[in-house]
């Protein structure tokens, strides 16, 4: 059996180039559950951020992964609600530096929500 690609390997190194193959492994049904409403999306993201922090990833590493995931979503998925539409529009008009800052802000927003 071939091992599936992972974004973070066993030694904690981040491989952002593996975001797309990992995202493509998620079933359409599961993607729909995650993206169906903004709270589901935020909850899913929060769990992944918590997991990343648990294995010792820095906020910068998490933001880099978040940026790659957002790139993937902007290219392959339709926004399902007003919040996702706003994020999509901001992503579309931003340059690479602005997108990276937005990824940091998304991580921060999710972490603050999880801390409450």
């Amino acid at each position: 059996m071939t091992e599936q690609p992972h974004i973070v390997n066993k030694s904690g190194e981040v491989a952002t180039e593996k975001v797309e193959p990992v995202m493509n492994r998620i079933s359409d049904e599961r993607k729909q559950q995650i993206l169906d409403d903004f709270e589901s999306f935020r909850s899913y993201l929060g769990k992944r951020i918590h997991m990343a922090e648990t294995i010792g990833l820095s906020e910068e590493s998490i933001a880099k992964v978040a940026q790659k995931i957002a790139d993937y979503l902007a290219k392959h998925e339709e926004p399902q609600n007003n919040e996702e539409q706003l994020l999509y529009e901001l992503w579309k008009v931003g340059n690479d530096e602005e997108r990276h800052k937005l990824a940091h802000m998304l991580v921060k927003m999710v972490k603050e929500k999880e801390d409450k």
Side-chain angles (χ1 to χ4, degrees), residues 17-75:
E17 72 278 1
K18 294 184 179 177
V19 166
E20 191 160 336
V22 169
M23 294 296 292
N24 285 334
R25 277 199 332 246
I26 300 173
S27 72
D28 289 340
E29 182 180 323
R30 180 66 180 130
K31 283 180 192 175
Q32 188 61 43
Q33 289 173 343
I34 295 166
L35 299 173
D36 197 33
D37 65 73
F38 194 66
E39 286 306 314
S40 296
F41 171 71
R42 189 175 4 203
S43 174
Y44 179 82
L45 195 55
K47 289 174 186 172
R48 297 305 179 266
I49 289 170
H50 178 73
M51 186 172 35
E53 289 175 329
T54 300
I55 63 170
L57 290 186
S58 68
E59 185 177 326
E60 180 63 25
S61 294
I62 294 169
K64 285 180 182 179
V65 173
Q67 184 175 359
K68 288 291 189 177
I69 291 170
D71 280 338
Y72 174 88
L73 292 173
K75 290 177 187 167

Side-chain angles (χ1 to χ4, degrees), residues 7 21-22 27 88 91 100 107 110:
I7 297 168
V22 169
S27 72
Y88 172 75
W91 202 258
H100 186 70
V107 169
V110 169

